[in-house]
Amino acid sequence: MAKSDIHPQWYPEAKVYCNGEVVMTVGSTKPELHVDVWSGNHPFYTGTQKIIDTEGRVERFMRKYGMMETKQPSANESKSNQQ
């Protein structure tokens, strides 16, 4: 059993604010939470994330671990190379 008078106040309907707007409601020990980033404006979740590639590191990693599709010659290219 939980001891009485040692636990913080629980707010089951705490409001989460981002840029002055309520974006969600969660359970918390604080009645209001102010955040700068949440899933609605984070680039990873919104699909606007950009990978900054310096010196082809991403492509080199993808090739090294077989995650990048290698360009396969088409049927027309292979026939023209055999003639």
Side-chain angles (χ1 to χ4, degrees):
M1 292 303 248
K3 292 184 179 181
S4 60
D5 300 328
I6 64 166
H7 298 286
Q9 174 71 35
W10 180 253
Y11 300 94
E13 298 291 323
K15 306 259 189 276
V16 179
Y17 293 92
C18 184
N19 296 331
E21 297 179 19
V22 176
V23 293
M24 68 178 73
T25 304
V26 296
S28 176
T29 58
K30 296 183 179 185
E32 293 182 350
L33 301 167
H34 296 273
V35 297
D36 295 327
V37 178
W38 67 292
S39 61
N41 67 357
H42 191 279
F44 179 80
Y45 295 107
T46 59
T48 59
Q49 180 180 18
K50 296 179 183 173
I51 298 175
I52 299 173
D53 185 17
T54 57
E55 302 172 9
R57 292 181 185 183
V58 173
E59 284 82 14
R60 188 172 61 214
F61 175 86
M62 299 292 262
R63 277 194 312 270
K64 181 177 180 180
Y65 293 103
M67 296 177 192
M68 184 176 280
E69 294 179 11
T70 57
K71 188 175 179 183
Q72 298 290 332
S74 65
N76 292 339
E77 289 177 0
S78 61
K79 288 181 182 178
S80 64
N81 290 339
Q82 292 175 356
Q83 293 176 353

